[in-house]
Amino acid sequence: MQEQRELISRAARCLLAARYAIALTGAGISTESGIPDFRGPSGVWTKDPEAERRAYASYDRFVADPKGWWEDRFFGKSVLGEVASASPNAGHLALAELEQIGLLKCVITQNVDGLDEKAGTRRLIEYHGNIHKLRCMACDTRFAMEDYDMAKLLEEDMLPPKCTGCGGVVKTDGVMFGEPIPQKVALESDEETRKCDLMLICGTSAVVYPFAYLPHSARSSGKAITIVEINAEPTPLGSEGISDFLIQGKTGEVLPALVAEVKRLRK
Ligand code: OAD
């Protein structure tokens, strides 16, 4: 505990000294909102490896048969459970507060749950999209779920939905395994990574690429950068020498403590 307090204080000093700090987040930051992660002890892939294999096949199925893929959606349920009713937790709120007080410039999240937006984070890049949105596969325009009446389209045999702008096939916005990251999202994330001199990496196993390249490319750029992990368990970023240090613990506890420490040091 003493060691955790010292590391939080070290991270707070790094934040105060940083010119451009950003946060990278993963499913771990949302577990305290009741949404399971993927690879933690109670993760959806840990508990059901078959579901992970199905997830790997899903994008190919969409490309081959978007109509069938959409029809299946009416009968399947999300592996993440009831995401729509979830609320941001103290971890999401702490990141939003760090942005509000001017110490954090951007959050790049792998999460599709929309909780950072609900927490009030303004400069947000949803690297793997958003489960509540839709996206045209041809022009990348994003739509709200409510923009389309899916039940009516199913009834009228009009699936898959089509883009109102270009007529392209519309898919859910969440990026699936094997699907390219939308170009604008990838470019903006690279740009934020180039600009930052402090990266706070919260609640991710950092094993899914290309997202996991972001800390690697920050580290190999040759510039001075501090990379801090906040996670329940060690990740390859530590063993591969990418992160400077790990604050081991829950993001819903460590991040608010970090905000409190920053405010204390600022006085
Ligand atoms: P993972 O499930 O791989 O990793 C979550 C990490 O957070 C694990 O190391 C957990 O131990 C840790 N963790 C869990 N709860 C925590 C808490 N309260 N505080 C701190 N740490 C906690 O999730 P991601 O790294 O986000 O992609 O997974 C990356 C991608 O793999 C996802 O975006 C998704 C998935 O398959 C796609 O679906 C394309």
Side-chain angles (χ1 to χ4, degrees), residues 25-33 35-41 43-46 52 55-56 79-80 89 109-112 127-128 174-179 181 202-209 211 229-235 247-254:
T25 69
I29 197 170
S30 292
T31 55
E32 289 161 86
S33 293
I35 300 172
D37 65 6
F38 297 94
R39 297 173 187 79
V44 292
W45 303 156
T46 311
E52 184 173 17
Y56 269 92
V79 292
L80 296 179
N89 65 57
T109 187
Q110 292 167 102
N111 299 342
V112 294
Y127 202 82
H128 289 164
V175 173
M176 298 191 274
F177 286 119
E179 179 182 353
I181 302 298
C202 313
T204 175
S205 58
V207 295
V208 172
Y209 287 79
F211 184 87
E229 282 187 273
I230 301 170
N231 207 58
E233 56 190 344
T235 78
I247 308 176
Q248 194 160 356
K250 291 183 170 181
T251 45
E253 294 169 5
V254 173

Side-chain angles (χ1 to χ4, degrees), residues 21 39 48 60 77 109-110 121 124 192 194 200 218 220 223 234 263:
R39 297 173 187 79
D48 184 1
D60 287 345
K77 64 178 192 339
T109 187
Q110 292 167 102
T121 291
L124 175 66
E192 292 294 336
R194 258 199 308 280
L200 272 185
S220 61
K223 69 180 174 187
K263 288 180 175 168

Side-chain angles (χ1 to χ4, degrees), residues 25-266:
T25 69
I29 197 170
S30 292
T31 55
E32 289 161 86
S33 293
I35 300 172
D37 65 6
F38 297 94
R39 297 173 187 79
S42 307
V44 292
W45 303 156
T46 311
K47 290 200 329 207
D48 184 1
E50 197 44 52
E52 184 173 17
R53 274 189 284 278
R54 280 197 302 277
Y56 269 92
S58 187
Y59 183 60
D60 287 345
R61 162 109 168 94
F62 175 81
V63 172
D65 179 15
K67 180 176 192 292
W69 184 90
W70 267 107
E71 286 169 356
D72 288 353
R73 274 184 61 85
F74 282 90
F75 307 106
K77 64 178 192 339
S78 163
V79 292
L80 296 179
E82 290 304 318
V83 174
S85 54
S87 301
N89 65 57
H92 301 104
L93 295 169
L95 289 181
E97 187 172 358
L98 284 177
E99 181 187 46
Q100 205 214 332
I101 61 181
L103 292 179
L104 193 67
K105 305 296 184 208
C106 173
V107 173
I108 309 177
T109 187
Q110 292 167 102
N111 299 342
V112 294
D113 53 34
L115 292 183
D116 292 284
E117 194 178 332
K118 278 192 190 168
T121 291
R122 282 181 302 235
R123 174 75 180 124
L124 175 66
I125 301 177
E126 293 175 316
Y127 202 82
H128 289 164
N130 184 312
I131 209 170
H132 309 299
K133 294 184 181 152
L134 301 165
R135 174 166 41 88
C136 171
M137 299 306 284
C139 69
D140 278 348
T141 300
R142 290 168 103 197
F143 300 95
M145 223 25 124
E146 311 75 68
D147 291 345
Y148 289 82
D149 185 342
M150 295 301 174
K152 187 157 177 268
L153 291 178
L154 176 70
E155 201 181 293
E156 293 172 355
D157 198 21
M158 294 291 282
L159 287 172
K162 298 283 170 45
C163 176
T164 49
C166 76
V169 169
V170 167
K171 178 188 142 296
T172 47
D173 184 43
V175 173
M176 298 191 274
F177 286 119
E179 179 182 353
I181 302 298
Q183 199 181 19
K184 183 166 174 274
V185 167
L187 284 174
E188 282 184 15
S189 302
D190 285 344
E191 203 172 297
E192 292 294 336
T193 299
R194 258 199 308 280
K195 280 199 271 190
C196 76
D197 58 353
L198 174 66
M199 202 177 243
L200 272 185
I201 305 181
C202 313
T204 175
S205 58
V207 295
V208 172
Y209 287 79
F211 184 87
Y213 279 127
L214 299 174
H216 282 263
S217 82
R219 175 59 71 210
S220 61
S221 66
K223 69 180 174 187
I225 179 156
T226 307
I227 301 181
V228 182
E229 282 187 273
I230 301 170
N231 207 58
E233 56 190 344
T235 78
L237 295 178
S239 51
E240 290 166 3
I242 302 298
S243 60
D244 290 281
F245 61 97
L246 162 71
I247 308 176
Q248 194 160 356
K250 291 183 170 181
T251 45
E253 294 169 5
V254 173
L255 284 167
L258 180 60
V259 173
E261 180 64 359
V262 156
K263 288 180 175 168
R264 190 185 70 80
L265 291 171
R266 257 185 163 183

